[in-house]
Amino acid sequence: MNPINRRKFVKDSFAVGVASFISINSLEAFNSVTQSFAFDDEMMDKNDIIPAPDDPTQWQAWREALHSWKKKKQAQLNYNGESYRSEAFQWVSSDFACCFIMMCDEEFYDYRKGEYKINQLIGDGKQQYGGYDSVVLWHAYPRIGLDDRNQFDFYRHQPYGLAGLKNVGDQFHRNNIKVFINYNPWDTGTRRDQKSDIDSLITIIKSMDADGIFLDTMRDAPTFREKLDALKTGLVMEGEQALPLEHIQSHHASWAQDFQDSKVPGVYRNKWFERCHMQHAIDRWGNDKTAQLQTAWMNGSGIMIWENVFGQWIGWNERDKAIYRAMYGVQHHFVGLFSGDGWTPLSEESLVSGVYISSWESEGIQLWTLVNRNKFPVKGVLMRTKVNGERRYFDLTKGEEITNGLENGTISFPENIYCRGIACFLSIAKTKIDGDFNNFLAKQKRLSMLATDDITIPIKNIQLIRGKETVKHRAPLKGMVEVPAASLTLYMEYTVREVGAYSNIQEYIIGDETRKQFSPFLITKQVEIKRFAIDETPVTNAQFMEFIDRSGHKPRFQENFLKHWADGKIPSGKEDHPVVYVDLEDAGAYAKWAKKRLPSEEEWQFAAQGVNALNYPWGNKVEENKCNQNTNGETTAVKAFPGGISPFGCYDMCGNTWEWTGNEYSDGRTRFVMLKGGSCYKAKGSVWYMDGGPQKNNFIAKMLLMWPGLDRCSTVGFRCVVDL
């Protein structure tokens, strides 16, 4: 196909599919469940997606069973759906596009300017996806557990505090976007608020004027409902796990995560049960989103848009964005259809094998959603319907009226749908066509001109943005020890978590059984280390006080700066403890004043392990009285454990405080730095916390950066190096 014809084909087809590559898992997603079964209530009760039979002759019986099950189930649960009909909750039925935002994302907050970028974020969302209806402001994980701050502190310590977040919420609200805060029920090992979790959530919601709570790892939280309603009506709870039917009355939205559709499109059980309930389909790790898009399309339901996954970039390709932009427009213009009772799943059999059709009706309007489940494009007449002279007919994915194909009292609907694409046809009474409809149609036509089959996986390369400087001296400065040059292989170990390490590849989900989540994983680096000197101890409170007195250092943002000092004075007896509550900028300012720099993680590790690659500075086994083994957050003097020095003579390289390293990385969305050494604090009670306690020399902990108020911690200090 020559380039000109190829472009025309892409514009004529809505879709926007795969030319040569598509993930194997996604290709097989629709083919893993084939159905030929009895339609019993037990089957419908237990399936989050009620599967459809392969045989079209069974579809009518399947639909009848769906209606019968719904009626019996609503009677059994004494369900009336009253809360969904109230004005306060009506926004839920149009909450199709929910954006999951990491609050450390550089597109959310500009750390250089010190300001939120809400208007730009909203504008980008409109351009790429059609728009956002709600956002989840994700705050704590995977940072939480580095010190004793709890999940609510992570909202309180955002830039400009809760007042700043109120302004953020106001900007979203001015653009008709609702705001969810996040709740981590597993956060039980950090410091406790002097009230219950729901009361802390209520305080945050009230301060921010938030609209709901995302229930991380949870199905539901019915005990929260009474207090939420007492604060204000219309507050929505949305759980990550599949929501039980009995709690649909009090939980107005839910994730559709890891739901496996049948080969022939099935129906979301909860959406079928309550048409105004919103389910957000999500495939956080997938590079191909067509499975979730098609299932949401055939269920008149929503999508969770999530590209920055806990600091790893998993971007949508341009084809999937184009599909969703068209979906978004149709769903919003006809929101009443998709939340009404006129839904007929698999309403008719397509004239083309592998294409499936559902219908949505109300007075004077009938809309058909179509999906192509084939791994190849289809072209031609997909369906026919009887002509009504009082109606007009449209192809909504092209934004065009259908005027040809009238024959023997029927009208034919032709379309080209690329592999695994979608289509949409409309029959509408002439009296219902107004200016709003014409504007909508024109917008859909403009979007169709942007359709593309580009399935290139978007990549954001991680780059070193700070840490290349050198500070040369002829000999080690006072209080420093020399480390020789070396050419060696370094083995760095990290705990496999969703945050990853240097790479954006999710090592633990690619099938290698040795790379399971929460297990250790080794990174191999071949490095050339030049001769350098390193501080024999971490920088102490006394040393940092001297720096402040002589330099007059005053950071731009004062939040949590030297928080452990009282009225600018070192706590009595802590003069020779490592300084904490300093961020990377503070540490860098000290190093510059001292005519030094911060070490790379490779330099730090070599200084700790020596030429024999010891596990710990003193040897290969954990030993008593070699380091601070507290996990309650109590630091010790930097020379309290002389038996724990490293082969080159460094003190305190294990267990007292994590130490900043000077290599700062960014992929343009997430900045991070590697911490070394472990600390005297360890949050207990959940695997989701950051690592704590004493750590091996080769262990690295990835710390996502945002701004000083969060980056300054009670458990992170630093030491300096110079080049020789």
PDB file of all heavy atoms in Angstrom, residues 59-79:
ATOM      1  N   TRP A  59     -27.528 -16.403  22.192  1.00  0.00           N
ATOM      2  CA  TRP A  59     -27.447 -15.056  22.740  1.00  0.00           C
ATOM      3  C   TRP A  59     -28.778 -14.594  23.341  1.00  0.00           C
ATOM      4  O   TRP A  59     -28.798 -13.933  24.384  1.00  0.00           O
ATOM      5  CB  TRP A  59     -26.999 -14.070  21.663  1.00  0.00           C
ATOM      6  CG  TRP A  59     -25.558 -14.267  21.251  1.00  0.00           C
ATOM      7  CD1 TRP A  59     -24.655 -15.128  21.816  1.00  0.00           C
ATOM      8  CD2 TRP A  59     -24.887 -13.608  20.190  1.00  0.00           C
ATOM      9  NE1 TRP A  59     -23.440 -15.053  21.165  1.00  0.00           N
ATOM     10  CE2 TRP A  59     -23.553 -14.121  20.156  1.00  0.00           C
ATOM     11  CE3 TRP A  59     -25.249 -12.659  19.245  1.00  0.00           C
ATOM     12  CZ2 TRP A  59     -22.615 -13.694  19.234  1.00  0.00           C
ATOM     13  CZ3 TRP A  59     -24.310 -12.222  18.318  1.00  0.00           C
ATOM     14  CH2 TRP A  59     -23.000 -12.736  18.321  1.00  0.00           C
ATOM     15  N   GLN A  60     -29.886 -14.925  22.692  1.00  0.00           N
ATOM     16  CA  GLN A  60     -31.175 -14.496  23.223  1.00  0.00           C
ATOM     17  C   GLN A  60     -31.436 -15.121  24.590  1.00  0.00           C
ATOM     18  O   GLN A  60     -31.871 -14.440  25.532  1.00  0.00           O
ATOM     19  CB  GLN A  60     -32.307 -14.857  22.246  1.00  0.00           C
ATOM     20  CG  GLN A  60     -33.702 -14.492  22.725  1.00  0.00           C
ATOM     21  CD  GLN A  60     -33.881 -13.001  22.975  1.00  0.00           C
ATOM     22  OE1 GLN A  60     -33.251 -12.166  22.328  1.00  0.00           O
ATOM     23  NE2 GLN A  60     -34.735 -12.657  23.933  1.00  0.00           N
ATOM     24  N   ALA A  61     -31.149 -16.424  24.708  1.00  0.00           N
ATOM     25  CA  ALA A  61     -31.332 -17.088  26.001  1.00  0.00           C
ATOM     26  C   ALA A  61     -30.397 -16.494  27.052  1.00  0.00           C
ATOM     27  O   ALA A  61     -30.764 -16.351  28.231  1.00  0.00           O
ATOM     28  CB  ALA A  61     -31.087 -18.588  25.847  1.00  0.00           C
ATOM     29  N   TRP A  62     -29.196 -16.136  26.638  1.00  0.00           N
ATOM     30  CA  TRP A  62     -28.220 -15.511  27.545  1.00  0.00           C
ATOM     31  C   TRP A  62     -28.734 -14.168  28.041  1.00  0.00           C
ATOM     32  O   TRP A  62     -28.675 -13.864  29.237  1.00  0.00           O
ATOM     33  CB  TRP A  62     -26.897 -15.362  26.804  1.00  0.00           C
ATOM     34  CG  TRP A  62     -25.804 -14.640  27.511  1.00  0.00           C
ATOM     35  CD1 TRP A  62     -25.103 -15.064  28.603  1.00  0.00           C
ATOM     36  CD2 TRP A  62     -25.260 -13.362  27.153  1.00  0.00           C
ATOM     37  NE1 TRP A  62     -24.146 -14.140  28.947  1.00  0.00           N
ATOM     38  CE2 TRP A  62     -24.214 -13.088  28.077  1.00  0.00           C
ATOM     39  CE3 TRP A  62     -25.524 -12.449  26.149  1.00  0.00           C
ATOM     40  CZ2 TRP A  62     -23.468 -11.910  28.010  1.00  0.00           C
ATOM     41  CZ3 TRP A  62     -24.778 -11.288  26.069  1.00  0.00           C
ATOM     42  CH2 TRP A  62     -23.764 -11.023  27.007  1.00  0.00           C
ATOM     43  N   ARG A  63     -29.272 -13.374  27.134  1.00  0.00           N
ATOM     44  CA  ARG A  63     -29.815 -12.066  27.534  1.00  0.00           C
ATOM     45  C   ARG A  63     -30.991 -12.233  28.486  1.00  0.00           C
ATOM     46  O   ARG A  63     -31.123 -11.494  29.472  1.00  0.00           O
ATOM     47  CB  ARG A  63     -30.234 -11.268  26.301  1.00  0.00           C
ATOM     48  CG  ARG A  63     -29.067 -10.730  25.479  1.00  0.00           C
ATOM     49  CD  ARG A  63     -29.536  -9.704  24.469  1.00  0.00           C
ATOM     50  NE  ARG A  63     -30.405 -10.304  23.462  1.00  0.00           N
ATOM     51  CZ  ARG A  63     -29.994 -10.771  22.293  1.00  0.00           C
ATOM     52  NH1 ARG A  63     -28.704 -10.726  21.986  1.00  0.00           N
ATOM     53  NH2 ARG A  63     -30.849 -11.281  21.434  1.00  0.00           N
ATOM     54  N   GLU A  64     -31.849 -13.196  28.204  1.00  0.00           N
ATOM     55  CA  GLU A  64     -32.986 -13.434  29.097  1.00  0.00           C
ATOM     56  C   GLU A  64     -32.505 -13.848  30.481  1.00  0.00           C
ATOM     57  O   GLU A  64     -33.070 -13.424  31.505  1.00  0.00           O
ATOM     58  CB  GLU A  64     -33.891 -14.509  28.498  1.00  0.00           C
ATOM     59  CG  GLU A  64     -34.634 -14.039  27.240  1.00  0.00           C
ATOM     60  CD  GLU A  64     -35.391 -15.160  26.560  1.00  0.00           C
ATOM     61  OE1 GLU A  64     -35.295 -16.319  27.032  1.00  0.00           O
ATOM     62  OE2 GLU A  64     -36.073 -14.891  25.549  1.00  0.00           O
ATOM     63  N   ALA A  65     -31.458 -14.660  30.501  1.00  0.00           N
ATOM     64  CA  ALA A  65     -30.900 -15.081  31.795  1.00  0.00           C
ATOM     65  C   ALA A  65     -30.300 -13.897  32.542  1.00  0.00           C
ATOM     66  O   ALA A  65     -30.412 -13.802  33.768  1.00  0.00           O
ATOM     67  CB  ALA A  65     -29.849 -16.168  31.579  1.00  0.00           C
ATOM     68  N   LEU A  66     -29.678 -12.976  31.813  1.00  0.00           N
ATOM     69  CA  LEU A  66     -29.124 -11.781  32.443  1.00  0.00           C
ATOM     70  C   LEU A  66     -30.222 -10.948  33.104  1.00  0.00           C
ATOM     71  O   LEU A  66     -30.083 -10.498  34.249  1.00  0.00           O
ATOM     72  CB  LEU A  66     -28.397 -10.923  31.400  1.00  0.00           C
ATOM     73  CG  LEU A  66     -27.026 -11.396  30.909  1.00  0.00           C
ATOM     74  CD1 LEU A  66     -26.572 -10.555  29.727  1.00  0.00           C
ATOM     75  CD2 LEU A  66     -25.993 -11.332  32.014  1.00  0.00           C
ATOM     76  N   HIS A  67     -31.302 -10.734  32.391  1.00  0.00           N
ATOM     77  CA  HIS A  67     -32.408  -9.950  32.947  1.00  0.00           C
ATOM     78  C   HIS A  67     -33.030 -10.654  34.148  1.00  0.00           C
ATOM     79  O   HIS A  67     -33.339 -10.012  35.170  1.00  0.00           O
ATOM     80  CB  HIS A  67     -33.462  -9.694  31.871  1.00  0.00           C
ATOM     81  CG  HIS A  67     -33.077  -8.658  30.863  1.00  0.00           C
ATOM     82  ND1 HIS A  67     -33.046  -7.317  31.147  1.00  0.00           N
ATOM     83  CD2 HIS A  67     -32.682  -8.780  29.559  1.00  0.00           C
ATOM     84  CE1 HIS A  67     -32.671  -6.635  30.068  1.00  0.00           C
ATOM     85  NE2 HIS A  67     -32.436  -7.502  29.083  1.00  0.00           N
ATOM     86  N   SER A  68     -33.207 -11.957  34.038  1.00  0.00           N
ATOM     87  CA  SER A  68     -33.797 -12.716  35.141  1.00  0.00           C
ATOM     88  C   SER A  68     -32.908 -12.668  36.373  1.00  0.00           C
ATOM     89  O   SER A  68     -33.382 -12.457  37.499  1.00  0.00           O
ATOM     90  CB  SER A  68     -34.015 -14.168  34.705  1.00  0.00           C
ATOM     91  OG  SER A  68     -34.467 -14.952  35.789  1.00  0.00           O
ATOM     92  N   TRP A  69     -31.603 -12.846  36.157  1.00  0.00           N
ATOM     93  CA  TRP A  69     -30.653 -12.818  37.277  1.00  0.00           C
ATOM     94  C   TRP A  69     -30.662 -11.459  37.959  1.00  0.00           C
ATOM     95  O   TRP A  69     -30.688 -11.361  39.187  1.00  0.00           O
ATOM     96  CB  TRP A  69     -29.252 -13.140  36.769  1.00  0.00           C
ATOM     97  CG  TRP A  69     -28.187 -12.856  37.768  1.00  0.00           C
ATOM     98  CD1 TRP A  69     -27.755 -13.661  38.770  1.00  0.00           C
ATOM     99  CD2 TRP A  69     -27.424 -11.641  37.883  1.00  0.00           C
ATOM    100  NE1 TRP A  69     -26.773 -13.054  39.505  1.00  0.00           N
ATOM    101  CE2 TRP A  69     -26.544 -11.809  38.978  1.00  0.00           C
ATOM    102  CE3 TRP A  69     -27.395 -10.452  37.166  1.00  0.00           C
ATOM    103  CZ2 TRP A  69     -25.647 -10.811  39.374  1.00  0.00           C
ATOM    104  CZ3 TRP A  69     -26.510  -9.466  37.555  1.00  0.00           C
ATOM    105  CH2 TRP A  69     -25.651  -9.649  38.649  1.00  0.00           C
ATOM    106  N   LYS A  70     -30.652 -10.396  37.168  1.00  0.00           N
ATOM    107  CA  LYS A  70     -30.645  -9.048  37.734  1.00  0.00           C
ATOM    108  C   LYS A  70     -31.876  -8.812  38.599  1.00  0.00           C
ATOM    109  O   LYS A  70     -31.771  -8.293  39.730  1.00  0.00           O
ATOM    110  CB  LYS A  70     -30.573  -8.015  36.609  1.00  0.00           C
ATOM    111  CG  LYS A  70     -30.660  -6.568  37.094  1.00  0.00           C
ATOM    112  CD  LYS A  70     -30.644  -5.597  35.915  1.00  0.00           C
ATOM    113  CE  LYS A  70     -30.839  -4.164  36.396  1.00  0.00           C
ATOM    114  NZ  LYS A  70     -30.838  -3.204  35.263  1.00  0.00           N
ATOM    115  N   LYS A  71     -33.043  -9.191  38.091  1.00  0.00           N
ATOM    116  CA  LYS A  71     -34.275  -8.979  38.833  1.00  0.00           C
ATOM    117  C   LYS A  71     -34.258  -9.744  40.151  1.00  0.00           C
ATOM    118  O   LYS A  71     -34.595  -9.194  41.212  1.00  0.00           O
ATOM    119  CB  LYS A  71     -35.465  -9.414  37.979  1.00  0.00           C
ATOM    120  CG  LYS A  71     -36.817  -9.145  38.613  1.00  0.00           C
ATOM    121  CD  LYS A  71     -37.938  -9.532  37.661  1.00  0.00           C
ATOM    122  CE  LYS A  71     -39.302  -9.258  38.289  1.00  0.00           C
ATOM    123  NZ  LYS A  71     -40.414  -9.624  37.373  1.00  0.00           N
ATOM    124  N   LYS A  72     -33.848 -11.004  40.111  1.00  0.00           N
ATOM    125  CA  LYS A  72     -33.809 -11.821  41.328  1.00  0.00           C
ATOM    126  C   LYS A  72     -32.765 -11.304  42.302  1.00  0.00           C
ATOM    127  O   LYS A  72     -32.989 -11.272  43.522  1.00  0.00           O
ATOM    128  CB  LYS A  72     -33.515 -13.286  40.961  1.00  0.00           C
ATOM    129  CG  LYS A  72     -34.686 -14.006  40.326  1.00  0.00           C
ATOM    130  CD  LYS A  72     -34.405 -15.482  40.125  1.00  0.00           C
ATOM    131  CE  LYS A  72     -33.418 -15.716  39.014  1.00  0.00           C
ATOM    132  NZ  LYS A  72     -33.254 -17.161  38.702  1.00  0.00           N
ATOM    133  N   LYS A  73     -31.602 -10.878  41.780  1.00  0.00           N
ATOM    134  CA  LYS A  73     -30.529 -10.429  42.655  1.00  0.00           C
ATOM    135  C   LYS A  73     -30.895  -9.120  43.337  1.00  0.00           C
ATOM    136  O   LYS A  73     -30.597  -8.915  44.530  1.00  0.00           O
ATOM    137  CB  LYS A  73     -29.230 -10.274  41.854  1.00  0.00           C
ATOM    138  CG  LYS A  73     -27.985 -10.371  42.701  1.00  0.00           C
ATOM    139  CD  LYS A  73     -27.803 -11.785  43.241  1.00  0.00           C
ATOM    140  CE  LYS A  73     -26.631 -11.879  44.188  1.00  0.00           C
ATOM    141  NZ  LYS A  73     -26.507 -13.234  44.753  1.00  0.00           N
ATOM    142  N   GLN A  74     -31.514  -8.222  42.622  1.00  0.00           N
ATOM    143  CA  GLN A  74     -31.923  -6.962  43.239  1.00  0.00           C
ATOM    144  C   GLN A  74     -32.975  -7.189  44.316  1.00  0.00           C
ATOM    145  O   GLN A  74     -32.953  -6.532  45.364  1.00  0.00           O
ATOM    146  CB  GLN A  74     -32.430  -5.997  42.171  1.00  0.00           C
ATOM    147  CG  GLN A  74     -31.320  -5.450  41.287  1.00  0.00           C
ATOM    148  CD  GLN A  74     -31.785  -4.367  40.343  1.00  0.00           C
ATOM    149  OE1 GLN A  74     -32.977  -4.236  40.062  1.00  0.00           O
ATOM    150  NE2 GLN A  74     -30.844  -3.579  39.833  1.00  0.00           N
ATOM    151  N   ALA A  75     -33.870  -8.135  44.080  1.00  0.00           N
ATOM    152  CA  ALA A  75     -34.869  -8.469  45.102  1.00  0.00           C
ATOM    153  C   ALA A  75     -34.210  -9.109  46.315  1.00  0.00           C
ATOM    154  O   ALA A  75     -34.534  -8.788  47.466  1.00  0.00           O
ATOM    155  CB  ALA A  75     -35.933  -9.393  44.514  1.00  0.00           C
ATOM    156  N   GLN A  76     -33.260  -9.998  46.049  1.00  0.00           N
ATOM    157  CA  GLN A  76     -32.555 -10.692  47.134  1.00  0.00           C
ATOM    158  C   GLN A  76     -31.797  -9.714  48.019  1.00  0.00           C
ATOM    159  O   GLN A  76     -31.769  -9.856  49.247  1.00  0.00           O
ATOM    160  CB  GLN A  76     -31.592 -11.717  46.540  1.00  0.00           C
ATOM    161  CG  GLN A  76     -30.743 -12.456  47.558  1.00  0.00           C
ATOM    162  CD  GLN A  76     -29.711 -13.350  46.887  1.00  0.00           C
ATOM    163  OE1 GLN A  76     -29.902 -13.808  45.753  1.00  0.00           O
ATOM    164  NE2 GLN A  76     -28.607 -13.599  47.565  1.00  0.00           N
ATOM    165  N   LEU A  77     -31.193  -8.695  47.403  1.00  0.00           N
ATOM    166  CA  LEU A  77     -30.411  -7.716  48.157  1.00  0.00           C
ATOM    167  C   LEU A  77     -31.244  -6.512  48.592  1.00  0.00           C
ATOM    168  O   LEU A  77     -30.702  -5.577  49.189  1.00  0.00           O
ATOM    169  CB  LEU A  77     -29.230  -7.237  47.307  1.00  0.00           C
ATOM    170  CG  LEU A  77     -28.181  -8.295  46.943  1.00  0.00           C
ATOM    171  CD1 LEU A  77     -27.145  -7.719  45.985  1.00  0.00           C
ATOM    172  CD2 LEU A  77     -27.503  -8.849  48.186  1.00  0.00           C
ATOM    173  N   ASN A  78     -32.541  -6.557  48.281  1.00  0.00           N
ATOM    174  CA  ASN A  78     -33.419  -5.432  48.608  1.00  0.00           C
ATOM    175  C   ASN A  78     -32.849  -4.132  48.057  1.00  0.00           C
ATOM    176  O   ASN A  78     -32.801  -3.095  48.726  1.00  0.00           O
ATOM    177  CB  ASN A  78     -33.623  -5.333  50.131  1.00  0.00           C
ATOM    178  CG  ASN A  78     -34.777  -4.425  50.501  1.00  0.00           C
ATOM    179  OD1 ASN A  78     -35.730  -4.277  49.729  1.00  0.00           O
ATOM    180  ND2 ASN A  78     -34.696  -3.814  51.670  1.00  0.00           N
ATOM    181  N   TYR A  79     -32.426  -4.197  46.804  1.00  0.00           N
ATOM    182  CA  TYR A  79     -31.706  -3.092  46.180  1.00  0.00           C
ATOM    183  C   TYR A  79     -32.680  -2.166  45.462  1.00  0.00           C
ATOM    184  O   TYR A  79     -33.546  -2.612  44.710  1.00  0.00           O
ATOM    185  CB  TYR A  79     -30.694  -3.639  45.167  1.00  0.00           C
ATOM    186  CG  TYR A  79     -29.862  -2.568  44.507  1.00  0.00           C
ATOM    187  CD1 TYR A  79     -28.745  -2.041  45.149  1.00  0.00           C
ATOM    188  CD2 TYR A  79     -30.203  -2.068  43.248  1.00  0.00           C
ATOM    189  CE1 TYR A  79     -27.988  -1.048  44.556  1.00  0.00           C
ATOM    190  CE2 TYR A  79     -29.440  -1.075  42.647  1.00  0.00           C
ATOM    191  CZ  TYR A  79     -28.335  -0.572  43.312  1.00  0.00           C
ATOM    192  OH  TYR A  79     -27.587   0.424  42.725  1.00  0.00           O
TER     193      TYR A  79
END
